[in-house]
Amino acid sequence: MEQRATALHTYAMTSQIIWGVVALLCGCAIYLLFRSQTIHLYQWAVVAGLSSILDTLRQSVQHWQVSDFVRYSLPDGLYCASYILLMDAVWKGGKASRTLAVSFMPLVAITHELLQGAGLVRGTFDVCDLLCYAVPLLAYFVVSNKFFIHFFSITKS
């Protein structure tokens, strides 16, 4: 039974890492294809020698009608989800320290967005940004609590 629990844990951790990387790459792709070429990520890609590939890809999607939500908010939500998945997968501490580590960056982003809304920090408050930070964190708590309950019931059987 212990081998099954270990195999399930390894599978879950590997899946989280894969999905975390996929979310990160999707967020980067949206930034690189649909945002200004002045963003830092684009400049890093140019330094990495990817400018001709990016130019070709940007030209092939320039006629696409992409909503502001996809262009501006979704990448942040994907980065947030990526952070949550990756931190949860690699964190070695107990449940309390894992929760703190996983929650840290999303809570910083949520706080920053709320402070923008209050006019206390520079930037533009956006409800979509706020949701894109909060939804992955809330989903993590719902899913991880169900997973832990299910996982521990398997290991005790």
Side-chain angles (χ1 to χ4, degrees):
M1 194 56 72
E2 191 173 313
Q3 285 178 324
R4 183 175 178 208
T6 302
L8 281 172
H9 178 73
T10 302
Y11 174 77
M13 185 175 72
T14 303
S15 296
Q16 280 184 259
I17 291 171
I18 291 169
W19 284 111
V21 170
V22 167
L24 179 66
L25 293 175
C26 287
C28 288
I30 293 168
Y31 258 61
L32 291 171
L33 294 176
F34 301 109
R35 297 289 296 266
S36 166
Q37 293 177 339
T38 61
I39 62 171
H40 292 298
L41 182 61
Y42 190 87
Q43 298 305 316
W44 296 339
V46 169
V47 169
L50 300 174
S51 60
S52 63
I53 294 170
L54 284 176
D55 289 342
T56 301
L57 290 171
R58 286 174 70 93
Q59 282 185 341
S60 69
V61 299
Q62 72 182 11
H63 64 281
W64 291 12
Q65 298 295 319
V66 178
S67 70
D68 284 349
F69 171 77
V70 170
R71 184 182 315 261
Y72 298 110
S73 298
L74 183 59
D76 292 342
L78 290 168
Y79 298 146
C80 186
S82 174
Y83 172 85
I84 290 167
L85 289 166
L86 294 172
M87 286 300 289
D88 185 62
V90 302
W91 194 260
K92 300 291 186 209
K95 187 167 181 177
S97 66
R98 176 187 305 267
T99 300
L100 181 62
V102 166
S103 303
F104 181 73
M105 286 307 294
L107 290 175
V108 167
I110 290 167
T111 301
H112 185 262
E113 197 66 34
L114 291 172
L115 291 173
Q116 284 178 343
L120 298 173
V121 297
R122 229 176 55 155
T124 303
F125 173 78
D126 188 342
V127 172
C128 289
D129 288 348
L130 187 61
L131 289 173
C132 282
Y133 301 137
V135 168
L137 186 59
L138 292 173
Y140 167 77
F141 287 124
V142 169
V143 171
S144 67
N145 285 334
K146 285 184 180 179
F147 175 78
F148 282 120
I149 291 167
H150 178 70
F151 181 77
F152 287 118
S153 69
I154 289 172
T155 57
K156 289 179 181 176
S157 302

